[in-house]
């Protein structure tokens, strides 16, 4: 690979990494708004695998269930009454 091509690849990877970090921050903030906790604080594995490691898509219903399970397992309170009713 020529230097020019390698530089282009490095630039693309750097840009993607910055965008990924920004999206991870937004998802974390959305989790705090929705559940009262950041997904990494509760070790919500399915979301960590999807968001941090890019292992595939995930549905809102799967995230809701994983958060409810993690919150209950840690003896914490679910802070979104809408989820409590489901």
């Amino acid at each position: 690979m020529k230097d020019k091509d390698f530089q282009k690849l490095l630039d693309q990877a750097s840009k993607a990494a910055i965008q990924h970090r920004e999206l991870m921050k937004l998802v974390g903030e959305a989790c705090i708004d929705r559940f009262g906790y950041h997904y990494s604080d509760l070790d919500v594995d399915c979301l960590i695998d999807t968001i941090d490691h890019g292992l595939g898509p995930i549905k809102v219903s799967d995230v809701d269930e994983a958060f409810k399970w993690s919150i209950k397992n840690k003896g914490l309170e679910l802070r979104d009454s809408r989820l409590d009713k489901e």
Side-chain angles (χ1 to χ4, degrees), residues 46-63:
C46 63
L47 198 51
I48 291 169
D49 290 347
T50 299
I51 302 304
D52 294 1
H53 304 297
L55 296 181
I58 193 166
K59 295 180 180 179
V60 171
S61 59
D62 296 332
V63 174

Side-chain angles (χ1 to χ4, degrees), residues 47-82:
L47 198 51
I48 291 169
D49 290 347
T50 299
I51 302 304
D52 294 1
H53 304 297
L55 296 181
I58 193 166
K59 295 180 180 179
V60 171
S61 59
D62 296 332
V63 174
D64 286 350
E65 286 303 313
F67 259 93
K68 286 195 279 189
W69 184 87
S70 292
I71 289 168
K72 182 180 177 182
N73 249 10
K74 295 187 182 292
L76 301 171
E77 290 184 22
L78 184 62
R79 298 183 186 164
D80 185 328
S81 59
R82 182 190 60 77

Side-chain angles (χ1 to χ4, degrees), residues 14-26:
S14 175
K15 183 177 179 180
I18 290 167
Q19 290 172 335
H20 179 244
R21 190 174 58 241
E22 290 170 356
L23 289 169
M24 285 174 53
K25 182 177 185 246
L26 291 173

Side-chain angles (χ1 to χ4, degrees), residues 4-22:
K4 178 182 173 184
D5 296 330
F6 188 41
Q7 186 62 58
K8 184 177 178 179
L9 180 62
L10 292 172
D11 292 345
Q12 288 172 330
S14 175
K15 183 177 179 180
I18 290 167
Q19 290 172 335
H20 179 244
R21 190 174 58 241
E22 290 170 356

